[in-house]
Amino acid sequence: MRNFTNKNEARRFKADVNSFGTVIIHRRNPYIVACWSMAFPGFGHLLLEKYVQGLLLVLWEVFVNQQTHLNRAMVYSFTGEIESAKAVLDVRLLFLYIPVYLFSIWDSYRTTVDLNKIAVLVEREDGPFNTFSINATGINYLEKRNPLVTFLWVLTIPSMGQLYLHRIVLAFFSLTWAVVFIYYSHLLEGIHYLILGNVEKSTSVLDAQWLSYIPSYYFFTIYEAYTNTVEYNKLFEKEQKNYLKSHYQSPNFTLKKGQKVT
């Protein structure tokens, strides 16, 4: 494996392993990324490892949504209470929400298409990447993980799967917002009363405005952790193949026409 530091020693890099996580350039479905941006502005950018843009869009979504009471109005409209939806909705910031929402969808789609082109070039150029990082902030290294284990951990509390993958930035973000959403929605309190059989009390304590954030947020952390486990495993296998090829394969080795490597 080539020894390098991620400066300008290669035109494009396949990945970077650092103490805060592992970043990979790989092909993604732009429609899936755009759909996550539709579900929650910023999620599409987080999938693309664009953390600053993603976190800013998520903060914007929560701030404007809370100020306009958009989630509560949506709940009323879904249940047919149109007049209640009109009464609770604050339109002073609502029209600022629309262009940012559309921008997040468009920009995540556009960026995915561009990164897919770069991913193809990286594969053809056999872009280099490091496999181990150690410094004062911590240790990170490539290893093969079980996607099922990731899936089971992230089912418990959002961010556990990200911690398992050593995605520190996203794990901190996920855990922080999980606490905020669960606390202000009174979700655990509602579950507590539901277990006791007091359905009416369980329903009354829930805050629909905060509770509406949880489904998209919860399933996003599951999807993000699982797909990245799969991509990390591919990267691990590629590094292993490159190492064996460079250290043990004869330079005179050639494949005959029609022969396949098994």
Side-chain angles (χ1 to χ4, degrees):
M1 193 66 190
R2 283 166 285 186
N3 185 25
F4 74 100
T5 55
N6 283 13
K7 295 179 182 177
N8 286 314
E9 299 173 12
R11 189 177 185 188
R12 299 178 182 90
F13 292 95
K14 172 69 176 176
D16 178 50
V17 177
N18 57 71
S19 57
F20 292 101
T22 303
V23 180
I24 310 174
I25 294 179
H26 64 90
R27 281 177 280 185
R28 300 173 174 88
N29 189 323
Y31 294 105
I32 292 178
V33 175
C35 284
W36 278 115
S37 292
M38 290 181 191
F40 206 115
F43 282 0
H45 290 79
L46 291 176
L47 285 175
L48 299 174
E49 318 281 0
K50 296 174 75 68
Y51 295 123
V52 176
Q53 294 93 323
L55 294 177
L56 285 175
L57 287 168
V58 169
L59 286 171
W60 172 260
E61 160 68 18
V62 175
F63 171 75
V64 176
N65 204 315
Q66 288 301 118
Q67 293 299 314
T68 59
H69 308 289
L70 181 59
N71 281 347
R72 194 182 301 276
M74 290 172 63
V75 171
Y76 283 134
S77 64
F78 292 156
T79 56
E81 301 179 48
I82 305 301
E83 293 304 320
S84 297
K86 292 179 181 179
V88 76
L89 191 63
D90 187 341
V91 298
R92 288 179 297 176
L93 291 175
L94 184 61
F95 294 107
L96 291 178
Y97 178 88
I98 297 172
V100 177
Y101 179 76
L102 295 176
F103 170 81
S104 69
I105 299 170
W106 171 80
D107 190 60
S108 62
Y109 179 91
R110 176 196 63 82
T111 305
T112 307
V113 172
D114 287 342
L115 285 175
N116 284 348
K117 295 176 183 178
I118 295 175
V120 172
L121 293 174
V122 167
E123 288 296 329
R124 290 179 179 177
E125 297 169 1
D126 194 19
F129 56 91
N130 58 333
T131 59
F132 191 92
S133 173
I134 180 169
N135 53 46
T137 57
I139 302 172
N140 188 23
Y141 50 90
L142 278 182
E143 65 172 317
K144 204 164 188 178
R145 298 174 173 90
N146 189 336
L148 179 60
V149 173
T150 304
F151 176 76
L152 293 176
W153 273 117
V154 80
L155 280 178
T156 58
I157 301 175
S159 76
M160 294 298 101
Q162 282 72 25
L163 282 174
Y164 174 59
L165 296 177
H166 198 88
R167 293 174 66 79
I168 304 302
V169 175
L170 202 56
F172 176 80
F173 160 82
S174 301
L175 186 58
T176 300
W177 281 113
V179 172
V180 171
F181 292 153
I182 292 172
Y183 179 81
Y184 285 105
S185 67
H186 302 278
L187 176 62
L188 297 183
E189 188 179 352
I191 294 174
H192 171 74
Y193 286 118
L194 184 63
I195 293 173
L196 295 177
N198 193 341
V199 178
E200 184 178 350
K201 181 68 173 178
S202 174
T203 305
S204 64
V205 298
L206 293 174
D207 187 324
Q209 174 63 31
W210 286 98
L211 187 66
S212 299
Y213 293 119
I214 294 178
S216 57
Y217 175 79
Y218 184 67
F219 288 109
F220 167 76
T221 58
I222 295 173
Y223 174 82
E224 192 276 338
Y226 184 88
T227 54
N228 274 295
T229 305
V230 174
E231 292 301 328
Y232 285 6
N233 288 346
K234 291 179 183 178
L235 191 68
F236 177 87
E237 292 171 357
K238 182 174 179 60
E239 187 278 329
Q240 195 172 51
K241 182 183 73 173
N242 288 345
Y243 180 82
L244 294 173
K245 181 178 178 180
S246 63
H247 286 74
Y248 296 99
Q249 182 173 294
S250 169
N252 299 322
F253 174 80
T254 56
L255 284 175
K256 295 180 181 179
K257 187 176 181 180
Q259 183 179 359
K260 294 182 180 179
V261 177
T262 58

